[in-house]
Amino acid sequence: MTQIDEQQVRHIAHLSRLDLSDEEIAQYGRQLGEVLAYVEQLNEVDTEGVEPTAHAMPVSNVFREDVPAESLGVEKALQNAPDKATPYFKVPKVLDQQSA
Amino acid sequence: MSQAIENVASALTRIDQIDPRVRAMAAIWSDRATSRAETLSAPRDAKSPLWGMPVAVKDNICTLDGKTTCASRILEDFQSPYAADVVERLERAGAIIVGKTNLDEFAMGSTTENSGLFPTLNPWNPEYVPGGSSGGSAAAVASRMVEFALGSDTGGSIRQPASFCGVCGLKPTYGRVSRYGLVAFASSLDQIGPLATNAWQLAVLLGVIAGHDSRDSTCFDTPVPDYVSMLNEPMGRLRIGVAAEYFGDGVHPETRKAVESAIETLKKLGAEVSEVRLPHTKYVIACYYLICTAEASSNLARFDGVRYGHRTESPKDYFEVYSKSRAEGFGAEVKRRIMLGTFALSSGYYDQYYNKALRVRTLIRQDFDRAFEQCDAILSPTTPTPAFKFGEKSHSPLEMYLTDIYNCAANLAGIPALSIPCGHTSDGMPIGLQLMGKHFDEAKLLQIAHQFQQVTDFHKKRPAICA
């Protein structure tokens, strides 16, 4: 059975950009372990030489003429922004004084 | 008074009377629907059977009016700046949206218990779940608040609630209906489809929403047949396949009995029934959950607390804008799936989990290719059991995932599949029958369903709440 330890769970939470509580870390660790134990049955299947399917239907690149058309517009694009200084999205400082 | 105004008034009255006891609606559009009905008071366009008909739309489908919340706290105030292709098509056909329906947050769940708003109750018995994730749409149709609704189906999210609520639901072929404006969960599996009280209505609604849209590059340009006029055509030689893998030990005895009886009815209608094999069925859930969570972890990365959606108050740095906004905005199941998907895609595990699942997906798809050499449609129970009670499976995510065991293969293979009522348990809960078909062969599934409904009454039975 796949065991994922607390450190791994914290690593996945970091990659997922989820600030989880200690209880959540413990709970998700246990539940992910259960699900991973279940999905391990895929190892019984011989997939030697089998191509992966990312899409069930044959989709290839779809091209169109490069013609300018009306776009969403700044006002609409910003209408749901939690913070803005039109025409920009506003966020906290990315670099602090020391690292700048 | 025009028919449209009358229809809308009647739907709004029913919603008003019944919805407090079912809680199917995430938002009710009384004013907007009424004024739209008034502007529609033109002569009825005979070509459009949806003209003036009230429709409910799942709240993960973007509408210009009202909010599109996905039943998530992270989108609780989100107002889409554009409408989904299916919404534009509905309105062009003269349909009137009367509200948005509840769902499991971001369509992740099988009961609507994961809704960030409130759970929807099964109209047949409020102690039972309505199924999910399109539980709001299914419950709204079952209680006849509306006769037409849209849902989305990533791994059974239309068919399973249709079955639990005793209504009809269709997941079209992948690429038959545009996904433009559907909030993405798992992009290689998601498909919008109709829910309604009978197969004729499914055909009407599918005919309106199907077709090419250049804004979704996975949407096919395949001609849309006239589904409605094909319903009554003689079926000719109809070969129905039954797979033993879909009648396993987990099937409830009353479900088994109802489905077997439906097979006898179809034989009387001239169907030849034979056994087919789908040998990779036992791997469907494992394969599905790795793929859908991997795609979800990628799709839901867009919720960053910057461009739209919830942002945490006073983040200490830029990283916390992401990590705290997301932790506060997403519910437990969504976080769990993002975590699983991130793990399956992470360095060192990608080949072992994600890539392995993609290879098994190929084998599952090939099972169907082979089975459809011998038959035109594959029949099974929609779900192993009828609706279960609230809380019964919520303690174990894995046990919950296994309730979709007969539904996810159609999404993995991209094939169309529908669910129609085929009986009721001794407790009065509905039982559903699933038909899976060949790519772009929705017409055949609808034809079988319609002709079955000409000689049976299961779809006409209504829950007591309608009285």
Side-chain angles (χ1 to χ4, degrees):
Chain A
M1 178 175 158
T2 307
Q3 290 291 345
I4 50 174
D5 60 30
E6 189 195 312
Q7 203 191 335
Q8 264 179 306
V9 182
R10 288 191 189 281
H11 175 61
I12 300 162
H14 177 83
L15 292 175
S16 306
R17 299 297 186 263
L18 288 169
D19 184 45
L20 301 183
S21 67
D22 290 346
E23 295 91 86
E24 283 177 309
I25 294 285
Q27 192 196 22
Y28 289 147
R30 198 176 61 247
Q31 290 170 336
L32 289 183
E34 269 173 45
V35 174
L36 291 176
Y38 177 78
V39 303
E40 225 127 87
Q41 60 174 306
L42 294 185
N43 292 329
E44 301 164 17
V45 187
D46 180 6
T47 51
E48 191 64 40
V50 178
E51 286 295 313
T53 295
H55 258 270
M57 306 296 288
V59 224
S60 53
N61 277 340
V62 179
F63 294 102
R64 60 164 171 77
E65 290 303 310
D66 188 15
V67 184
E70 211 174 312
S71 58
L72 198 56
V74 171
E75 198 181 316
K76 279 187 177 176
L78 286 172
Q79 80 183 33
N80 288 286
D83 197 5
K84 62 190 166 192
T86 309
Y88 303 109
F89 293 107
K90 204 170 163 187
V91 293
K93 248 188 327 202
V94 176
L95 301 170
D96 62 32
Q97 301 268 295
Q98 281 142 336
S99 57
Chain B
M1 194 159 57
S2 85
Q3 191 62 46
I5 296 174
E6 221 169 283
N7 292 343
V8 165
S10 145
L12 291 172
T13 306
R14 295 186 65 76
I15 290 172
D16 203 36
Q17 287 169 347
I18 299 172
D19 196 52
R21 288 174 285 157
V22 175
R23 311 204 77 189
M25 306 304 289
I28 303 165
W29 287 10
S30 308
D31 295 345
R32 199 247 181 215
T34 306
S35 65
R36 179 151 159 79
E38 283 160 2
T39 61
L40 262 183
S41 304
R44 190 188 162 102
D45 174 3
K47 276 191 204 156
S48 193
L50 265 189
W51 195 93
M53 296 304 288
V55 180
V57 173
K58 189 176 181 180
D59 206 19
N60 61 345
I61 296 174
C62 289
T63 46
L64 270 176
D65 294 274
K67 293 176 187 169
T68 299
T69 69
C70 293
S72 178
R73 205 189 146 202
I74 211 159
L75 284 178
E76 67 185 344
D77 296 315
F78 181 72
Q79 284 188 293
S80 175
Y82 60 91
D85 182 66
V86 292
V87 169
E88 291 177 352
R89 285 174 185 267
L90 281 180
E91 305 217 309
R92 274 203 301 274
I96 298 171
I97 298 171
V98 292
K100 304 286 291 280
T101 57
N102 196 22
L103 64 152
D104 288 293
E105 184 179 0
F106 284 106
M108 297 181 189
S110 308
T111 62
T112 75
E113 287 167 291
N114 298 335
S115 167
L117 307 169
F118 40 76
T120 295
L121 312 180
N122 192 309
W124 294 84
N125 184 332
E127 289 176 24
Y128 288 79
V129 301
S133 65
S134 309
S137 291
V141 172
S143 52
R144 303 298 193 269
M145 293 183 219
V146 287
E147 297 205 347
F148 297 89
L150 290 185
S152 66
D153 191 314
T154 304
S157 276
I158 288 175
R159 293 160 283 154
Q160 185 258 23
S163 149
F164 281 11
C165 290
V167 301
C168 305
L170 167 71
K171 180 204 91 73
T173 306
Y174 183 81
R176 175 74 290 182
V177 176
S178 169
R179 293 182 294 112
Y180 178 77
L182 171 68
V183 178
F185 157 17
S187 302
S188 81
L189 306 163
D190 296 341
Q191 192 64 192
I192 295 172
L195 292 102
T197 71
N198 59 47
W200 181 84
Q201 291 173 334
L202 288 183
V204 166
L205 196 42
L206 179 64
V208 167
I209 63 173
H212 185 243
D213 173 22
S214 59
R215 298 168 296 185
D216 171 5
S217 58
T218 61
C219 186
F220 281 75
D221 207 356
T222 313
V224 180
D226 184 348
Y227 298 112
V228 175
S229 73
M230 292 165 80
L231 291 174
N232 285 308
E233 278 177 17
M235 289 195 283
R237 186 179 177 215
L238 172 66
R239 299 168 307 163
I240 288 182
V242 172
E245 291 87 353
Y246 280 66
F247 288 84
D249 293 337
V251 176
H252 191 279
E254 290 190 279
T255 300
R256 184 184 299 271
K257 200 168 148 230
V259 174
E260 283 172 353
S261 158
I263 293 174
E264 292 309 311
T265 305
L266 287 167
K267 280 185 186 165
K268 283 184 201 145
L269 289 171
E272 295 168 23
V273 178
S274 64
E275 194 159 320
V276 293
R277 298 249 7 247
L278 296 167
H280 293 93
T281 299
K282 67 176 283 208
Y283 304 110
V284 163
I285 292 291
C287 175
Y288 172 80
Y289 273 92
L290 286 170
I291 291 171
C292 83
T293 57
E295 294 187 19
S297 74
S298 164
N299 273 326
L300 271 63
R302 75 191 60 191
F303 298 99
D304 55 5
V306 174
R307 292 161 299 156
Y308 40 76
H310 171 76
R311 180 187 294 185
T312 189
E313 276 183 36
S314 16
K316 80 171 189 310
D317 54 23
Y318 194 60
F319 189 85
E320 276 197 0
V321 175
Y322 298 145
S323 63
K324 285 209 160 98
S325 301
R326 291 162 62 79
E328 291 163 7
F330 291 138
E333 180 63 20
V334 174
K335 289 181 194 172
R336 190 152 43 234
R337 293 199 193 189
I338 292 173
M339 295 279 287
L340 178 59
T342 303
F343 175 76
L345 290 174
S346 65
S347 169
Y349 296 98
Y350 180 92
D351 276 324
Q352 189 186 343
Y353 291 101
Y354 181 63
N355 211 358
K356 181 77 183 182
L358 294 185
R359 290 175 201 277
V360 175
R361 183 178 187 179
T362 304
L363 298 173
I364 292 167
R365 189 168 53 88
Q366 289 171 348
D367 279 358
F368 283 97
D369 291 344
R370 270 191 288 273
F372 283 127
E373 285 168 11
Q374 298 165 52
C375 67
D376 308 302
I378 297 170
L379 181 150
S380 75
T382 307
T383 52
T385 70
F388 42 87
K389 290 187 175 171
F390 279 98
E392 206 172 296
K393 295 181 193 280
S394 31
H395 58 280
S396 161
L398 184 59
E399 208 180 306
M400 189 68 88
Y401 297 167
L402 288 168
T403 65
D404 296 329
I405 189 151
Y406 297 154
N407 307 128
C408 297
N411 302 79
L412 290 168
I415 57 174
L418 59 73
S419 176
I420 54 170
C422 72
H424 295 83
T425 66
S426 49
D427 296 333
M429 297 306 288
I431 297 169
L433 169 82
Q434 177 174 252
L435 290 165
M436 296 184 277
K438 300 174 186 173
H439 289 132
F440 294 105
D441 204 9
E442 285 83 359
K444 175 65 74 185
L445 301 182
L446 290 166
Q447 202 181 35
I448 302 169
H450 176 72
Q451 300 198 16
F452 177 80
Q453 291 183 337
Q454 298 312 296
V455 297
T456 59
D457 281 334
F458 306 114
H459 63 292
K460 291 184 184 157
K461 199 171 168 193
R462 297 173 181 211
I465 204 166
C466 287

